[in-house]
């Protein structure tokens, strides 16, 4: 990957950082990666950069908790050396084979000896033909070995994570950037004797008949839910408000599919299983007949980032038309691993949810500004919703495979005070440079005809369940037993400005 070019517009680490002393989580192994079908876009990885900077890529793997992949750069170098040796051997065989063909084509007699060259010893034509046949077989074997080595090198390179921005803290601790809105709790020095609200959204939703977890558990299992009454309206209001806000910043609305080919998900940096073999993605079961025919596997998208990125797979974009900015609402499906507990109770961690996602393709120099725009949209939405939040630059250990940089925003949940101080992630934004476009064969053509790789940027506009939970907890009025709604949502709430108990 050509990642230290000056056209980037922001800096990436070009030297290994100090080695982490914290415990590493291993990323998914190659065994968890689905095979790439013939219809899949052909990836173009900058393997030369990996060979020339093995220490950088190896340490980058360790910094990002991809310990299993840290040895890949040296393996790639060793395999490349084998490939070069085969190339030299094959070249020698081809030269010898060409010499034999020339000798046969110049023969004037059955023996293969030129009549004009009486001084050369006679060679039997059958002997030459047999030698040529053996050489052809040896050349074929070498070419097969070369192809196998090339495939292995590419597979190893595909497993490496993107490089890391200099804006990203190395380690496990995020960097606090700023806060949004005032904290709802009174300061410690306050003379107020009233206890802060600590009702969880689960209690509030039960009291106001807004969410039914029990019925969903019987219908679909744990991690699913029914939104009812005001909560159902609130979901649609949040989607409409988020779409309207993003569109005001130049994003074009698109409704993406929820089913995508598994190889598209993998190209975007999402793997079906983690290092322990736990399922992360819902895959659609194939019939034996479809599997035998080699039909590509389908999976449910965990985020609209995947179908958005696939929109221009194996396509060529006009660089003059960039950036292309899209926003869309979709249902998202995540087979989150982990046991049930306080952290997963209610809407905080679910298997199916609605999310509004922003996505863009940009010139490398425009990607940082586009990233800032997405973060600004996220901050505007959360500020107008009245939620107290903190903006964090995420550390290297928290980055996924595709991102060089990620900024999260966490909201304060009064019902989660006993865990993480009440903080919970509600949005994230990432720059993925050319990680996704190289794997999806998305090119851009400059005015002068040169071909390059556009960068991709993505960001959450609103993830409905967590924001809805935060609104319920922060808007809860204990005395009146109702939830006050932020003014920015009123236009989409059919005249409802607060949600209380149903009458009658």
């Amino acid at each position: 990957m050509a990642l230290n070019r000056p056209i980037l517009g922001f800096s990436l680490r070009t030297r290994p950082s100090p080695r982490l002393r914290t415990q590493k989580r291993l990323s998914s192994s190659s065994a968890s990666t689905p095979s790439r079908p013939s219809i899949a876009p052909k990836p173009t990885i900058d393997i030369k950069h990996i060979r020339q900077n093995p220490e950088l890529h190896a340490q980058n793997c360790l910094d990002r908790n991809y310990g299993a992949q840290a040895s890949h750069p040296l393996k790639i170098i060793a395999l490349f050396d084998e490939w070069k040796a085969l190339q030299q051997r094959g070249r020698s065989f081809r030269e010898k084979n060409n010499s034999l063909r020339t000798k046969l084509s110049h023969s004037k007699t059955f023996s293969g000896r030129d009549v004009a060259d009486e001084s050369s010893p006679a060679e039997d034509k059958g002997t030459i033909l047999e030698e040529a046949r053996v050489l052809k077989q040896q050349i074929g074997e070498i070419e097969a070995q070369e192809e196998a080595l090339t495939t292995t090198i590419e597979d190893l390179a595909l497993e490496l994570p993107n490089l890391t921005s200099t804006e990203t803290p190395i380690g496990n601790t995020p960097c606090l950037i700023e806060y949004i809105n005032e904290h709802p709790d009174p300061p410690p020095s306050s003379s107020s004797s009233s206890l802060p609200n600590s009702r969880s959204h689960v209690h509030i939703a039960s009291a106001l008949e807004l969410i039914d977890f029990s019925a969903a558990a019987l219908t679909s299992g744990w991690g699913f839910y029914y939104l009812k009454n005001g909560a159902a309206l609130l979901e649609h209001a949040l989607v409409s408000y988020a779409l309207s806000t993003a569109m005001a910043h130049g994003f074009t609305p698109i409704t993406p599919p929820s089913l995508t080919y598994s190889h598209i998900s993998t190209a975007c940096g999402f793997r079906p299983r983690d290092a322990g073999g736990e399922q992360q993605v819902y895959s659609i079961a194939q019939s034996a007949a479809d599997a035998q025919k080699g039909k590509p596997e389908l999976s449910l998208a965990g985020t609209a980032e995947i179908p958005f990125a696939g929109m221009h797979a194996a396509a060529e974009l006009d660089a003059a038309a960039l950036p292309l900015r899209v926003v869309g609402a979709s249902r998202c499906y995540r087979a989150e691993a982990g046991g049930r507990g306080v952290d997963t109770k209610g809407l905080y961690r679910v298997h199916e949810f609605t999310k509004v996602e922003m996505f863009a393709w940009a010139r490398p120099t425009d990607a940082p500004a586009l990233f800032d725009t997405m973060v600004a949209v996220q901050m505007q939405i959360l500020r107008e919703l009245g939620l107290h939040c903190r903006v964090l630059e995420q550390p290297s250990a928290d980055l996924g495979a595709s991102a060089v940089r990620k900024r999260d925003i966490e909201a304060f949940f009064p019902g989660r005070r006993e865990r993480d101080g009440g903080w919970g992630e509600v949005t994230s934004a990432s720059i993925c440079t050319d990680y996704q476009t190289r794997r999806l064969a998305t090119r851009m053509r400059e005015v002068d005809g040169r071909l390059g790789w556009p960068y991709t940027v993505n960001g959450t506009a609103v993830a409905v369940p967590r924001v809805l939970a935060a609104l319920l907890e922060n808007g809860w009025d204990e005395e009146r037993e109702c939830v006050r709604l932020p003014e920015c949502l009123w236009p989409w709430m059919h005249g409802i400005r607060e949600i209380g108990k149903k009458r009658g």
Side-chain angles (χ1 to χ4, degrees):
M1 289 169 282
L3 294 176
N4 350 1
R5 295 173 294 174
I7 62 170
L8 281 168
F10 63 97
S11 300
L12 294 174
R13 300 184 188 278
T14 55
R15 284 183 289 184
S17 63
R19 191 173 296 272
L20 288 178
R21 292 186 174 87
T22 53
Q23 185 177 1
K24 304 288 191 296
R25 291 176 289 120
L26 298 184
S27 71
S28 56
S29 64
S30 58
S32 65
T33 305
S35 59
R36 192 168 65 245
S38 59
I39 68 167
K42 181 172 176 54
T44 306
I45 310 301
D46 191 350
I47 295 173
K48 182 178 180 181
H49 188 275
I50 299 170
R51 296 199 322 267
Q52 293 177 339
N53 302 274
E55 292 183 2
L56 170 66
H57 284 273
Q59 186 59 44
N60 184 60
C61 287
L62 296 176
D63 291 342
R64 295 172 66 134
N65 284 340
Y66 277 70
Q69 284 72 28
S71 61
H72 284 12
L74 290 181
K75 289 179 182 178
I76 288 172
I77 291 175
L79 292 171
F80 182 73
D81 288 341
E82 289 184 39
W83 180 85
K84 283 195 303 182
L86 285 172
Q87 283 268 299
Q88 293 175 352
R89 188 180 172 197
R91 189 179 301 113
S92 173
F93 284 171
R94 290 185 189 94
E95 289 173 355
K96 189 172 182 180
N97 191 50
N98 289 337
S99 175
L100 292 175
R101 292 175 62 184
T102 300
K103 189 177 292 187
L104 285 170
S105 66
H106 289 173
S107 298
K108 298 295 190 298
T109 67
F110 180 79
S111 67
R113 180 170 55 89
D114 195 322
V115 174
D117 187 8
E118 295 292 339
S119 61
S120 62
E123 281 187 272
D124 180 67
K125 187 173 184 178
T127 301
I128 298 176
L129 289 172
E130 176 59 21
E131 189 176 355
R133 186 191 66 78
V134 172
L135 277 173
K136 183 179 179 181
Q137 181 179 346
Q138 291 174 326
I139 291 170
E141 292 172 354
I142 287 175
E143 289 175 345
Q145 293 176 54
E146 288 175 348
E147 184 177 353
L149 284 172
T150 299
T151 299
T152 303
I153 289 171
E154 183 180 273
D155 288 345
L156 290 171
L158 285 168
E159 288 188 22
L160 293 176
N162 207 340
L163 290 179
T164 305
S165 169
T166 54
E167 301 284 343
T168 299
I170 297 298
N172 297 279
T173 305
C175 176
L176 175 64
I177 305 299
E178 60 182 302
Y179 288 101
I180 304 172
N181 295 327
E182 295 296 324
H183 200 290
D185 288 353
S189 59
S190 173
S191 60
S192 173
S193 60
S194 61
L195 293 174
N197 169 40
S198 59
R199 291 290 191 184
S200 76
H201 67 278
V202 177
H203 172 89
I204 296 167
S206 175
L208 302 183
E209 298 182 50
L210 299 178
I211 307 173
D212 193 335
F213 293 104
S214 299
L218 291 172
T219 304
S220 307
W222 172 83
F224 295 89
Y225 54 93
Y226 287 98
L227 293 182
K228 300 163 54 180
N229 305 314
L233 286 178
L234 190 55
E235 174 175 65
H236 292 292
L238 284 168
V239 169
S240 297
Y241 167 62
L243 287 172
S244 177
T245 304
M247 288 168 62
H249 285 80
F251 288 82
T252 301
I254 290 179
T255 301
S258 292
L259 277 175
T260 62
Y261 285 133
S262 297
H263 62 261
I264 296 293
S265 299
T266 301
C268 291
F270 295 86
R271 297 192 182 268
R273 293 185 180 275
D274 65 12
E278 293 292 335
Q279 183 182 2
Q280 298 295 303
V281 175
Y282 286 114
S283 297
I284 304 302
Q286 277 190 315
S287 66
D290 284 349
Q292 189 173 13
K293 292 175 183 175
K295 286 189 176 182
E297 294 179 0
L298 285 166
S299 58
L300 289 167
T303 168
E305 174 189 345
I306 297 167
F308 279 155
M311 281 182 68
H312 295 298
E316 186 179 295
L317 303 177
D318 181 2
L322 299 180
L324 295 178
R325 290 168 286 195
V326 298
V327 62
S330 70
R331 296 293 279 181
C332 303
Y333 302 86
R334 299 186 183 179
E336 301 267 7
R340 297 166 59 176
V342 175
D343 187 49
T344 60
K345 190 176 182 180
L347 293 176
Y348 193 77
R349 196 175 300 281
V350 293
H351 293 310
E352 179 182 6
F353 58 96
T354 300
K355 180 161 70 83
V356 179
E357 182 79 3
M358 298 176 286
F359 190 88
W361 299 261
R363 281 193 173 105
T365 49
D366 296 334
L370 199 52
F371 174 80
D372 291 340
T373 296
M374 288 189 184
V375 174
V377 171
Q378 294 171 334
M379 293 178 65
Q380 177 185 341
I381 289 172
L382 295 169
R383 183 180 295 111
E384 293 181 359
L385 288 174
L387 297 176
H388 176 57
C389 304
R390 62 181 184 182
V391 184
L392 303 173
E393 189 74 39
Q394 289 302 106
S396 59
D398 192 62
L399 297 182
S402 61
V404 298
R405 181 186 179 192
K406 184 162 81 84
R407 186 165 283 192
D408 284 0
I409 301 180
E410 296 182 343
F412 176 72
F413 292 78
R416 287 172 53 85
R417 279 190 180 87
E418 302 304 316
R419 187 174 183 85
D420 302 324
W423 296 108
E425 177 197 335
V426 289
T427 74
S428 67
S430 301
I431 300 179
C432 298
T433 63
D434 57 2
Y435 180 97
Q436 293 173 334
T437 54
R438 281 181 174 271
R439 286 161 173 76
L440 291 168
T442 303
R443 305 298 298 267
M444 67 174 183
R445 187 172 292 277
E446 299 286 357
V447 177
D448 60 7
R450 289 181 298 112
L451 279 172
W453 302 101
Y455 282 12
T456 56
V457 188
N458 67 81
T460 313
V462 65
V464 170
R466 290 191 182 181
V467 172
L468 193 150
L471 289 175
L472 292 181
E473 293 184 10
N474 285 280
W476 175 246
D477 186 323
E478 184 73 31
E479 291 184 2
R480 298 176 58 232
E481 294 188 307
C482 69
V483 174
R484 300 180 302 275
L485 300 179
E487 187 175 348
C488 63
L489 298 181
W490 292 356
W492 292 281
M493 285 299 295
H494 300 274
I496 299 174
R497 298 188 177 186
E498 61 181 38
I499 301 174
K501 287 186 175 181
K502 293 178 67 177
R503 296 181 180 178

